[in-house]
Amino acid sequence: MRQIPVDTSAATVMVAKTPQPKVRDRRTGEIATDAETGAKLMTMDVMFAANDEVEILSVTVPETGISGDLTMGTPAALTGLVARPWENEFNGQKRHGIAFRAVAVTSLATTGTGSKAA
C-alpha cells in the first residue's frame, strides 16, 4: 500500500487528545498491534498547524514510540509521519480517507526547543 511521507519541519504540532489504545475490534475490545513488531498501537489527536491552516489529525503510533508527558496542549514532535490513503466498502457503502501513522510522538515541553515539530 502506498505511504506518503509528511514533512513536519515547518508545522506546529500540539497534543489535542492524549494517547489511547487503538481498538482493532469494537465488538470484542481487542487492542490493535503492529504487524511487524507486535507492539500495542495507540491513537492520539494532534493539532497540526502549517501554511496558515490548522487541522486535527488522528495519528496511530506504537506505544513504544510515545515519550514524555503528552497532555492536552503539549507541544510535540512527530517522527516518521506518513499518510496512507484508504478505501473500503461496508454494507454496500464505499468509504475513503487518509490514515496517519508516526514512528514516534515526543513531548517538546521539557526539551526547550519550542513548538516546532522535527
Side-chain angles (χ1 to χ4, degrees):
M1 184 175 283
R2 183 175 77 205
Q3 291 186 12
I4 304 162
V6 178
D7 179 12
T8 61
S9 61
T12 299
V13 179
M14 293 178 76
V15 176
K17 185 177 179 186
T18 58
Q20 305 290 319
K22 181 174 183 164
V23 178
R24 178 183 175 130
D25 187 334
R26 292 178 194 220
R27 292 172 290 162
T28 65
E30 178 185 2
I31 302 300
T33 57
D34 184 279
E36 294 178 14
T37 66
K40 183 164 94 172
L41 293 177
M42 307 292 282
T43 59
M44 63 182 299
D45 292 349
V46 297
M47 179 203 75
F48 189 90
N51 303 321
D52 294 326
E53 292 187 25
V54 177
E55 293 197 41
I56 300 295
L57 305 180
S58 183
V59 179
T60 298
V61 62
E63 186 176 40
T64 55
I66 295 174
S67 63
D69 185 20
L70 296 173
T71 58
M72 186 183 297
T74 304
L78 298 171
T79 303
L81 183 65
V82 295
R84 182 182 320 173
W86 61 268
E87 182 176 279
N88 65 24
E89 188 172 332
F90 185 73
N91 289 336
Q93 289 190 319
K94 288 189 176 185
R95 297 177 42 176
H96 63 277
I98 299 173
F100 293 93
R101 177 141 179 188
V103 172
V105 178
T106 308
S107 169
L108 296 178
T110 58
T111 63
T113 59
S115 60
K116 295 288 182 186

